[in-house]
Amino acid sequence: MAQELTILGLESSCDDTAAAVVRRDATGRGTILSNVVLRQDDLHAAFGGVVPEIAARAHAEKIDIAVERALTEAGLSLTDCAGVAVTSGPGLIGGVLAGVMCAKALSAATGLPLLGVNHLAGHALTPRLTDGVAFPYLMLLVSGGHCQFLRVEGPETFVRLGGTIDDAPGEAFDKVARLLGLPQPGGPAVEACARDGTDPTSLPRPLLDRAGCDMSFSGLKTAVLRARDAQVARNGGLPRAARADICAGFQAAIRDVLAEKSRRALASGEVTAFAVAGGVAANRSLRDALAAVAAERGLPFVAPPQALCTDNAAMIAWTGIERFDSGRFDDLSLAARPRWPLDQASAPMLGSGKRGAKA
Ligand code: KG4
Ligand code: ZN
């Protein structure tokens, strides 16, 4: 029997200011009592990407509002919670600091235990919150800033089986959208455009010929640039149909690489399920392909609802709950860490995307 536990979670590592209250009941099941996400899209839209200084200031201005709302929506006060969990890395340092400072203040004022948690652990443990998935399971984190395969063996035990050596797929979707004159965020725009493709452009499947689970996506975007320029040279512009074919070809290349590398990751050891998280996991054609790979091995495919795949504080509160039982808490010396690989033993990644350590 687990101990019933209610934890307040805070998240501010990139461009979402978030607070949530999550409860684990005596059977071990998690319930999200509130999940507040204050987005900053408007603040960054004009710059074509997240501006760290603007993000940090917005987090500092909004984090207490998010906390207040999360408590109100849960119908609880701070003292009804057993602890405060906060993303203490990895991420944009100014934002992480805003969250950590707020959590420290709440802990100091109430005496509640403080838990500094890893943002990536939050994503990786979400399938346990949503679906009660048992360890060990395979997690593919695929977002605007991250792409990695993790074997999740325990609340604090992660083995990285491979990942991108350059761009993350979401970043590639966004860049390709820019190259083709489609709006941001690029993923949904490219996916919508790809639906009209009738003859997908043939593009490379980078690193498929290399053993293991590492991936590379930056070359794909160069291939898209060439395909676009060839169309422009031929037609004096980019016809709609050609744009749709390039989108379809690009999406198929990403899908095929992720599916094959997932197959390899699943073959590397026994797991209870194959789970995905991150914004790119919203892509229908990718989701279907990954579900098929899981089915090949007779494994459940777990894709948490979109709001819990992208950045949120419910996953941070849950990670705090999973850690709470160990009795190891942080104190006011808790540091904000810009870089914090989940698997300390594996070699550092070559790149982590222009948005840094976002997953
Ligand atoms: O996890 P997420 O919300 O946070 C960041 O990493 O910032 O992921 C956002 C990324 C963006 O790059 C976006 O273009 C991509 O996820 N994305 C998609 C789709 N929806 C969002 N990529 C492909 N297909 C989609 N339907
Ligand atoms: Zn994330």
Side-chain angles (χ1 to χ4, degrees):
M1 271 286 170
Q3 176 199 357
E4 186 185 286
L5 210 52
T6 305
I7 297 277
L8 169 71
L10 274 63
E11 155 63 34
S12 56
S13 64
C14 191
D15 56 346
D16 294 313
T17 312
V21 180
V22 176
R23 175 170 293 160
R24 182 188 66 189
D25 65 21
T27 69
R29 272 193 64 89
T31 306
I32 298 171
L33 302 183
S34 63
N35 188 17
V36 174
V37 179
L38 306 177
R39 301 189 63 101
Q40 300 180 357
D41 305 48
D42 297 355
L43 298 178
H44 304 287
F47 303 95
V50 177
V51 183
E53 291 77 7
I54 293 176
R57 184 180 303 192
H59 286 305
E61 284 169 0
K62 295 272 175 63
I63 190 83
D64 53 341
I65 298 171
V67 167
E68 221 172 321
R69 253 201 233 172
L71 288 168
T72 305
E73 285 179 20
L76 298 176
S77 65
L78 247 188
T79 46
D80 296 319
C81 299
V84 181
V86 60
T87 299
S88 55
L92 300 173
I93 193 67
V96 178
L97 265 172
V100 167
M101 294 303 287
C102 179
K104 282 182 182 175
L106 294 174
S107 169
T110 56
L112 290 176
L114 177 66
L115 298 124
V117 308
N118 186 307
H119 174 89
L120 301 173
H123 282 299
L125 294 172
T126 299
R128 288 176 54 74
L129 167 62
T130 55
D131 294 78
V133 174
F135 299 121
Y137 57 91
L138 179 71
M139 160 60 69
L140 168 60
L141 274 183
V142 62
S143 72
H146 267 280
C147 182
Q148 52 183 306
F149 288 105
L150 293 165
R151 187 180 149 86
V152 187
E153 298 185 343
E156 296 181 87
T157 315
F158 307 89
V159 180
R160 195 171 66 82
L161 302 174
T164 181
I165 60 168
D166 42 53
D167 289 0
E171 196 178 356
F173 268 100
D174 294 342
K175 284 180 185 164
V176 161
R178 242 170 256 135
L179 288 175
L180 300 179
L182 293 167
Q184 297 293 313
V190 169
E191 179 173 22
C193 186
R195 272 187 219 117
D196 298 328
T198 51
D199 180 19
T201 307
S202 169
L203 295 169
R205 268 60 174 159
L207 293 197
L208 266 198
D209 53 345
R210 197 191 289 179
C213 300
D214 280 342
M215 293 160 281
S216 161
F217 298 104
S218 76
L220 252 183
K221 138 199 106 197
T222 315
V224 165
L225 176 65
R226 287 214 195 89
R228 180 201 70 180
D229 288 350
Q231 284 293 337
V232 171
R234 198 174 311 143
N235 302 297
L238 184 62
R240 269 175 169 277
R243 183 165 75 175
D245 286 341
I246 295 176
C247 285
F250 168 75
Q251 184 173 269
I254 298 254
R255 180 196 65 210
D256 290 353
V257 170
L258 286 170
E260 176 54 25
K261 297 285 176 170
S262 299
R263 205 169 273 126
R264 292 184 198 171
L266 284 172
S268 72
E270 288 298 308
V271 287
T272 63
F274 178 28
V276 290
V280 182
N283 189 282
R284 195 70 254 172
S285 118
L286 174 63
R287 236 176 217 251
D288 292 348
L290 298 179
V293 172
E296 283 168 20
R297 299 192 72 86
L299 289 172
F301 177 67
V302 180
Q306 195 51 28
L308 296 174
C309 269
T310 55
D311 285 353
N312 65 88
M315 68 180 191
I316 301 305
W318 177 256
T319 304
I321 286 173
E322 295 247 36
R323 155 110 169 265
F324 199 93
D325 298 330
S326 74
R328 280 180 293 101
F329 303 122
D330 292 294
D331 58 25
L332 296 184
S333 67
L334 173 67
R337 302 170 66 172
R339 291 193 172 268
W340 185 0
L342 267 184
D343 179 354
Q344 309 276 352
S346 73
M349 311 280 281
L350 289 182
S352 64
K354 80 176 157 51
R355 277 188 266 184
K358 176 81 197 295

